[in-house]
Amino acid sequence: MRVAVLSDIHGNLPALEAVLDALPRLGVTQTVIAGDVVNGSPDSRACWDLVHSLRLPLLRGNHERYVFDLHSERAKPEWATLQFAPVHFTYKQFDDAIRMEMARLPILHRDPELPGLLVVHASPRNDHDLVFPYTRESDLDAMFSGATERTFVRGHNHYAGITLWRGRHIVNAGSVGLPLDGSPKAQFVILELKAGTWRAEHHAIAYDVARAVRRFEETGYLDEGGPLAHLYMKEVETASFRVVPFLKFQTAYLARQPGATLLDAWAAYRQIGY
């Protein structure tokens, strides 16, 4: 049994296609998609359709939630701002039926054929918990409370690694479409059960990054998605953090410049290089 876990595709179709093409060569017998199929790169609908055509177990990530909640009573006021223009671009690619399907997705995957293995997007309790090598054990206790498995596989953090927690293993799968560790390759993990223990193999494969970057222009996403779409494109191109640093800069800039806008912050940010 060799189980591939793919997470954080984020609308990057060339990366997804490259990973799916590689799985048979790697002897994979089962595949689980751990959420965030959509939003980030422009081809969210194509990625969603491809995943669904394969009838794979699919979890809900926080970016699916942004899409199905965008115009609901649960929407946050800031979701109507330019900062969330990429989500609005993604939202328009789906009809109500698919958005409702997203809302019904589970946040964890258990399979009796995979004893002792639990797959989540972030944690068993929500779709946005973060796990770092320095995360306190008490915080992990709260995140994984009640789970009896010995091995947990998750995405959300956009880098690959393993965290030890009270004799158990929390495996970060990495990101297929938006890795943030400096290496622009499509990341995923394969789990194999050996002598009663799940062993993790992290993989990072080359894909056509230039094609993925071209899609930002070809689809009109750069115009509609605003500054955040440009930052996502840079993240795809460089596999480095660009969105979060800008948002931190924007917060500080707006605090210093009453009445300024995101576009004002963006203009200032571009002057110092991004």
Side-chain angles (χ1 to χ4, degrees):
M1 181 73 71
R2 285 173 61 79
V3 183
V5 178
L6 281 54
S7 189
D8 298 279
I9 298 161
H10 287 288
N12 187 336
L13 184 62
L16 175 59
E17 290 175 336
V19 170
L20 292 175
D21 182 62
L23 296 184
R25 299 195 302 269
L26 294 169
V28 169
T29 57
Q30 186 175 149
T31 302
V32 180
I33 309 294
D36 279 4
V37 174
V38 305
N39 200 50
S41 288
D43 289 311
S44 292
R45 180 59 186 267
C47 291
W48 177 269
D49 288 347
L50 179 52
V51 167
H52 270 255
S53 72
L54 300 174
R55 301 184 180 277
L56 302 173
L58 173 60
L59 302 183
R60 186 193 83 208
N62 55 302
H63 282 259
E64 280 81 28
R65 175 168 52 82
Y66 297 158
V67 171
F68 66 72
D69 267 355
L70 185 63
H71 295 297
S72 75
E73 68 278 3
R74 295 177 297 276
K76 299 179 180 180
E78 59 266 28
W79 292 4
T81 68
L82 183 60
Q83 180 176 323
F84 284 82
V87 184
H88 289 263
F89 181 89
T90 301
Y91 178 92
K92 292 188 292 185
Q93 296 181 40
F94 300 97
D95 58 25
D96 286 342
I98 296 180
R99 290 191 289 265
M100 290 176 62
E101 187 176 352
M102 290 181 183
R104 291 192 295 266
L105 292 174
I107 66 167
L108 54 82
H109 176 73
R110 286 186 171 100
D111 186 334
E113 294 186 358
L114 308 176
L117 182 66
L118 178 67
V119 182
V120 297
H121 178 66
S123 78
R125 70 178 180 179
N126 63 43
D127 60 19
H128 55 272
D129 274 332
L130 293 168
V131 175
F132 300 103
Y134 51 80
T135 300
R136 295 177 301 181
E137 284 197 333
S138 59
D139 292 334
L140 295 174
D141 292 342
M143 292 180 197
F144 294 89
S145 174
T148 60
E149 288 80 5
R150 305 296 300 175
T151 303
F152 306 93
V153 187
R154 62 184 299 280
H156 194 54
N157 278 72
H158 292 233
Y159 66 83
I162 299 176
T163 298
L164 300 180
W165 167 59
R166 303 196 187 281
R168 296 191 264 183
H169 296 84
I170 301 171
V171 180
N172 285 348
S175 173
V176 171
L178 206 60
L180 295 173
D181 64 353
S183 178
K185 295 183 177 181
Q187 301 173 352
F188 58 99
V189 68
I190 296 174
L191 285 299
E192 186 170 8
L193 189 61
K194 293 183 177 181
T197 301
W198 288 102
R199 308 290 184 181
E201 298 175 6
H202 284 100
H203 293 263
I205 63 170
Y207 73 96
D208 193 343
V209 176
R211 176 187 161 208
V213 170
R214 287 196 304 271
R215 293 296 294 155
F216 282 76
E217 185 74 47
E218 293 168 352
T219 59
Y221 181 37
L222 288 181
D223 292 330
E224 289 192 43
L228 273 294
H230 287 262
L231 292 164
Y232 275 127
M233 183 177 71
K234 278 291 186 181
E235 289 194 340
V236 169
E237 190 173 24
T238 66
S240 62
F241 285 94
R242 300 303 172 101
V243 172
V244 170
F246 168 70
L247 294 178
K248 290 181 178 179
F249 174 89
Q250 176 194 215
T251 299
Y253 182 87
L254 296 183
R256 296 192 307 268
Q257 304 285 341
T261 67
L262 182 149
L263 289 177
D264 295 325
W266 175 238
Y269 195 64
R270 293 181 71 180
Q271 288 182 356
I272 64 174
Y274 75 100

